[in-house]
Amino acid sequence: MILIVVFRQWMVNRSPFVGCLVMILLKDYLLTDFLSTSGKVKNFAEGVISGALLYIRDDFKSVDKHTWLQETIVSMAVAGAIFGAGFGGWLNDKYGRRKSILLADILFFIGAIVMALAPVPWVIIIGRVLVGLGVGMASMTSPLYISEASPARIRGALVSTNGLLITGGQFLSYLINLAFTRTKGTWRWMLGVASVPALIQFVLMLSLPESPRWLYRADKKDEARAILEKIYPAHEVEDEMKALEASIEVEKADEEFLGEGMFSKVKSAWSNIIVRRGLYAGITVQVAQQFVGINTVMYYSPTIVQLAGFASNKTAIALSLITSGLNAVGSIISMCFVDRYGRRRLMIVSMFGIITCLVVLSVLFMQASSHSPRISAFESNHFGSNSTCSAFLNAPGASSWNCMSCLQASSDCAFCSNGNNKYHPGACLALNDNVKGLCRSEKREWFTKGCPSKFGFFAVMLLGMYIISYSPGMGTAPWIVNSEIYPLRYRGIGGGIAAVSNWVSNLIVSETFLTLTEAIGSAGTFLLFAGFSTIGLIAIYFVVPETKGLQFEQVEKMLEKGYKPKLFRRKKDEKADTS
């Protein structure tokens, strides 16, 4: 406690930007489910729910049998975040950045406790919505607070660090999951421990100041000056005050031009041809970012690992560390190359890698399904006819069944592997705790989602390659494009519209993934995402211009003429561009 008090006082005496870093790190540890770099919610609630879901299924049979319920538990945090982001914008302007973050912490804390103590699945969903509301508020408030309460010379680096800490938070969430796999109460601890960093952040945030920009706008100029004096050397404070005044005057003039209501702002933006073309590009990259299927990997990676043939919950979570760790590595790669090679090129290369990985993954899952172990009537009868799955007993062509046939026949069927070799013929048994106990008592493996497969390791490696392809390009570049593609006056509303398209796409993908795997299989689902990715690649090629190294005025001029890929430009257009 003494160390915390000393640390808090040190932060106050130094400058707010140190606290900002602590704030982001704690936030991203808490949230690894969400898009939170200016809208990227990918923090602890999602990273942790991916592992917790395995154990929630074990405790609540209704969740295990109904994929829509699993999808709802995962995706309701995203739905809450959509509303939280909208409410957070109003709260930011009305009461300030600091109070918004404090309220977000309270929602995090309450949501985590509600989930941990949930007696039934619908209470978990309520907790997820509460956490989602906090995530939505924090996702737009954190970058804003950092940019407004940090010294200009390191502002860009601190905002960029937000993305790195988010992916680092994802990795930490999987470690937390792994740590609690052998603890009584497993998923309750996994979800409940998120309340701790929320509480720490709340306490630390009490010692940090309000954004000087918000204070100045609220006509609290003396308080704004006092905070700037802690951030900047004495000889720079007056210049910063003048810059703040000029910036806010421009902001107020823009508000008068665009109107105060959201509808009038959207109407004004859409009626402007430059902004409209910018929105075509901004929305395209945000929707494409989600429909490559990234959040199926981040939300359901342990489940996907089980589909690849790893039955153990602990093994599935441990292997999922690969995907989250590589996501963090990819963020670092992006920071190194995005300004050297450009946003457009990085996204196109990223898309080619994503499509290749998804197609190969589809082929692997197809092979794993067709080569899964056979069902042996002898093995099934070994546990008694009452233990055998009724769908297998009543099927006319049961002699040709394999493990995948058993699992797909009914939600009441499970596969118990051969006692000598899990790749040899096994048993199709009834899915209940008693039969599961009989199977495991003979040192056999129990499969409910995927089947024993020699291709499983390659599937995990391909998931890693998919993440490495995604993270440096499609993981970060869409947000950079959206920060550069709109005229200054329309940047807030343009970025907001594009961010909402990202959230909604995220919700659609996360709410349908498990249903798709049941309807068309794992192979078909990954192939479908490969198709969406191909459409996204074509759209990016034709609609999204390169913004690297361009002044905002140059971007406007390019959009005013209308963007065409180089291969489709006429010679006189190329000459005009170079002149």
Side-chain angles (χ1 to χ4, degrees):
M1 179 61 69
I2 294 174
L3 287 176
I4 292 176
V5 173
V6 171
F7 182 58
R8 286 173 56 193
Q9 190 59 42
W10 180 81
M11 284 194 301
V12 175
N13 291 337
R14 300 286 290 187
S15 60
F17 80 86
V18 177
C20 294
L21 276 181
V22 176
M23 178 192 70
I24 301 171
L25 179 59
L26 293 174
K27 174 180 72 67
D28 294 328
Y29 163 77
L30 172 66
L31 300 180
T32 304
D33 152 345
F34 292 79
L35 297 175
S36 210
T37 42
S38 263
K40 262 197 285 186
V41 173
K42 266 187 184 114
N43 316 337
F44 188 85
E46 279 167 7
V48 101
I49 197 65
S50 63
L53 187 62
L54 303 180
Y55 296 93
I56 293 173
R57 291 197 322 236
D58 289 343
D59 280 5
F60 299 114
K61 299 307 175 187
S62 59
V63 176
D64 191 37
K65 290 186 177 182
H66 297 96
T67 54
W68 67 265
L69 195 51
Q70 297 173 42
E71 291 167 334
T72 301
I73 289 173
V74 170
S75 61
M76 278 304 97
V78 181
I82 294 174
F83 290 99
F87 176 68
W90 172 82
L91 197 71
N92 269 321
D93 292 337
K94 183 74 173 177
Y95 298 105
R97 295 29 167 160
R98 181 171 173 270
K99 289 180 180 177
S100 297
I101 293 170
L102 289 171
L103 179 58
D105 285 332
I106 293 172
L107 290 170
F108 295 156
F109 182 84
I110 295 174
I113 296 300
V114 167
M115 289 188 292
L117 300 178
V120 289
W122 64 264
V123 177
I124 301 176
I125 294 172
I126 291 175
R128 292 285 289 167
V129 172
L130 289 173
V131 169
L133 288 169
V135 168
M137 292 168 57
S139 70
M140 63 178 306
T141 307
S142 296
L144 196 62
Y145 182 76
I146 298 164
S147 64
E148 293 179 354
S150 305
R153 63 185 177 276
I154 59 171
R155 184 174 298 146
L158 288 177
V159 175
S160 298
T161 303
N162 189 30
L164 176 60
L165 292 178
I166 284 173
T167 53
Q170 289 176 331
F171 184 75
L172 182 59
S173 72
Y174 285 110
L175 286 177
I176 294 294
N177 276 344
L178 195 58
F180 285 114
T181 52
R182 294 191 179 276
T183 304
K184 186 178 180 180
T186 53
W187 63 269
R188 296 185 184 276
W189 285 103
M190 291 175 182
L191 297 176
V193 75
S195 62
V196 176
L199 180 61
I200 294 173
Q201 178 175 289
F202 180 88
V203 173
L204 293 177
M205 199 68 208
L206 291 173
S207 66
L208 294 178
E210 182 53 80
S211 158
R213 183 182 183 85
W214 184 85
L215 289 171
Y216 195 99
R217 175 103 195 224
D219 205 25
K220 298 179 180 180
K221 298 179 182 178
D222 290 339
E223 293 181 40
R225 179 183 289 274
I227 294 170
L228 289 174
E229 287 174 349
K230 292 181 178 181
I231 300 176
Y232 293 94
H235 66 277
E236 295 182 12
V237 172
E238 196 59 42
D239 290 338
E240 289 298 322
M241 286 291 290
K242 291 179 180 178
L244 202 57
E245 180 182 7
S247 175
I248 289 174
E249 286 179 358
V250 171
E251 188 178 284
K252 289 180 177 179
D254 288 344
E255 288 178 358
E256 291 180 6
F257 178 83
L258 296 174
E260 293 186 2
M262 180 59 67
F263 179 77
S264 63
K265 290 180 179 179
V266 172
K267 183 179 178 181
S268 176
W270 193 253
S271 62
N272 186 304
I273 185 65
I274 296 173
V275 181
R276 190 161 66 247
R277 286 171 176 166
L279 283 170
Y280 293 156
I283 293 174
T284 292
V285 295
Q286 294 286 31
V287 172
Q289 185 192 62
Q290 292 303 312
F291 273 89
V292 300
I294 180 58
N295 281 320
T296 63
V297 176
M298 300 317 298
Y299 300 168
Y300 299 108
S301 57
T303 301
I304 294 172
V305 170
Q306 287 191 331
L307 289 171
F310 296 92
S312 165
N313 288 348
K314 184 176 180 181
T315 302
I317 293 172
L319 289 174
S320 297
L321 283 170
I322 296 173
T323 60
S324 58
L326 290 175
N327 198 20
V329 172
S331 297
I332 298 173
I333 295 173
S334 176
M335 292 169 66
C336 296
F337 292 103
V338 72
D339 286 324
R340 179 179 300 179
Y341 296 107
R343 295 83 166 106
R344 174 183 161 85
R345 183 182 299 178
L346 216 55
M347 285 190 291
I348 289 174
V349 171
S350 177
M351 279 298 224
F352 274 113
I354 288 168
I355 293 167
T356 301
C357 289
L358 287 173
V359 170
V360 178
L361 265 174
S362 177
V363 172
L364 270 180
F365 273 100
M366 203 177 298
Q367 290 298 311
S369 176
S370 62
H371 291 88
S372 63
R374 314 271 315 164
I375 298 297
S376 164
F378 174 79
E379 287 287 320
S380 298
N381 293 331
H382 169 74
F383 295 94
S385 58
N386 291 334
S387 298
T388 305
C389 181
S390 58
F392 174 73
L393 292 174
N394 299 324
S399 59
S400 63
W401 276 28
N402 62 16
C403 169
M404 195 58 67
S405 307
C406 171
L407 298 185
Q408 292 177 345
S410 169
S411 59
D412 294 323
C413 292
F415 178 77
C416 180
S417 68
N418 189 289
N420 297 318
N421 188 320
K422 66 180 181 179
Y423 302 117
H424 289 174
C428 185
L429 303 179
L431 179 57
N432 62 60
D433 289 339
N434 291 333
V435 178
K436 178 181 177 180
L438 288 174
C439 174
R440 289 186 168 174
S441 68
E442 296 187 7
K443 306 300 181 183
R444 300 171 180 238
E445 291 190 56
W446 181 257
F447 294 84
T448 60
K449 296 299 176 184
C451 295
S453 172
K454 295 178 180 179
F455 299 100
F457 177 76
F458 296 105
V460 173
M461 295 306 295
L462 269 168
L463 281 175
M465 292 174 64
Y466 167 89
I467 290 293
I468 280 291
S469 297
Y470 167 86
S471 186
M474 290 305 298
T476 55
W479 298 98
I480 299 173
V481 168
N482 272 280
S483 70
E484 299 172 335
I485 200 72
Y486 310 109
L488 183 62
R489 178 172 285 175
Y490 294 94
R491 191 156 303 145
I493 187 68
I497 292 171
V500 168
S501 69
N502 185 295
W503 287 92
V504 173
S505 302
N506 184 348
L507 180 61
I508 292 170
V509 170
S510 60
E511 185 65 35
T512 58
F513 174 69
L514 293 179
T515 299
L516 284 171
T517 60
E518 282 196 348
I520 60 177
S522 304
T525 302
F526 284 114
L527 196 60
L528 180 64
F529 283 126
F532 288 143
S533 301
T534 302
I535 295 171
L537 172 61
I538 294 170
I540 289 171
Y541 179 78
F542 281 101
V543 175
V544 182
E546 180 56 73
T547 56
K548 175 182 76 81
L550 297 181
Q551 298 294 327
F552 292 126
E553 294 78 10
Q554 293 174 300
V555 174
E556 287 187 44
K557 186 178 179 181
M558 176 174 55
L559 292 174
E560 187 176 12
K561 290 189 300 182
Y563 174 75
K564 289 183 180 179
K566 194 172 182 179
L567 289 176
F568 292 85
R569 294 180 199 167
R570 291 177 295 182
K571 289 185 178 180
K572 64 178 183 179
D573 292 333
E574 293 186 13
K575 289 180 180 179
D577 289 341
T578 56
S579 61

